[in-house]
Amino acid sequence: MKALLDRARTFRTRVDFDSGEYRKLAEGQYPEALFITCSDSRVIPALITGARPGEIFELRNAGNIVPHYGRPGASGEAATIEYALEVLGVQDIVVCGHSHCGAMGALKSGDDLSALPGVDAWLHLARPELAPVLASAPDDPSLPEVSQGNVVNQLAALRSYPVVRQRLDAGRLRLHGWYYEVDTAFVYELGDDGAFRVHAA
């Protein structure tokens, strides 16, 4: 923690505030995309995409799960999606899963999560649609089939939001499915044929 604190305390001296780039951020944000990914500390959207401050709007949670539209109660996910589209006007949404995901691992192994009721309730949102993949995927610690299947399911959940459907129908929104491989740094993109592939550099 000391190293984190030290870097936070010296942040202003490590970036070029005199250029005015950071001062301009106070005038508003105009991100190009909403990036939905896992809370996992190994997945860093700005590092993966090379995004500068203000370029991506992030939504992070365990397992990059998007609750279906209309669930009762407040939802940070629903609020973030609404704000990104209605206020910020983003035209691209990326759902990015990753290898070695703890949330997907817990679903695959069927761990007893009774000591973690919040985690159990949260993962329950993804479990039903993912059940066929969980049953058929091999026991691979990197969990590519499970994590990629989850990305596909969360893209489907996004389409349950009226604000998403309206923009898709009007050609004002594009959805992207990505799978980030932690141990290789490869980014796989979901194609129209339903397969994930590494894009040619």
Side-chain angles (χ1 to χ4, degrees), residues 11 14-17 19-33 45-47 49-58:
F11 174 64
R14 291 184 287 110
V15 295
D16 183 13
F17 269 88
S19 70
E21 177 185 358
Y22 282 85
R23 290 190 181 91
K24 286 180 184 174
L25 293 173
E27 298 170 8
Q29 60 171 322
Y30 308 96
E32 297 177 21
L47 184 64
T49 62
R52 302 285 300 156
E55 290 185 341
I56 55 176
F57 196 59
E58 294 183 28

Side-chain angles (χ1 to χ4, degrees), residues 120-139:
D120 190 40
W122 179 249
L123 294 183
H124 181 71
L125 298 178
R127 191 177 286 120
E129 285 86 0
L130 205 52
V133 179
L134 294 172
S136 63
D139 291 327

Side-chain angles (χ1 to χ4, degrees), residues 39-117:
S39 302
D40 193 297
S41 62
R42 299 165 294 180
V43 181
I44 307 169
L47 184 64
I48 294 168
T49 62
R52 302 285 300 156
E55 290 185 341
I56 55 176
F57 196 59
E58 294 183 28
L59 170 55
R60 303 187 67 166
N61 62 45
N64 43 271
I65 293 170
V66 177
H68 279 269
Y69 178 77
R71 285 181 52 81
S75 164
E77 288 73 24
T80 301
I81 292 163
E82 269 183 22
Y83 191 83
L85 295 176
E86 297 281 23
V87 178
L88 299 178
V90 301
Q91 296 183 352
D92 291 271
I93 301 178
V94 176
V95 177
C96 181
H98 69 97
S99 68
H100 305 87
C101 179
M104 296 302 104
L107 287 171
K108 173 61 179 165
S109 65
D111 290 348
D112 177 9
L113 298 174
S114 56
L116 301 167

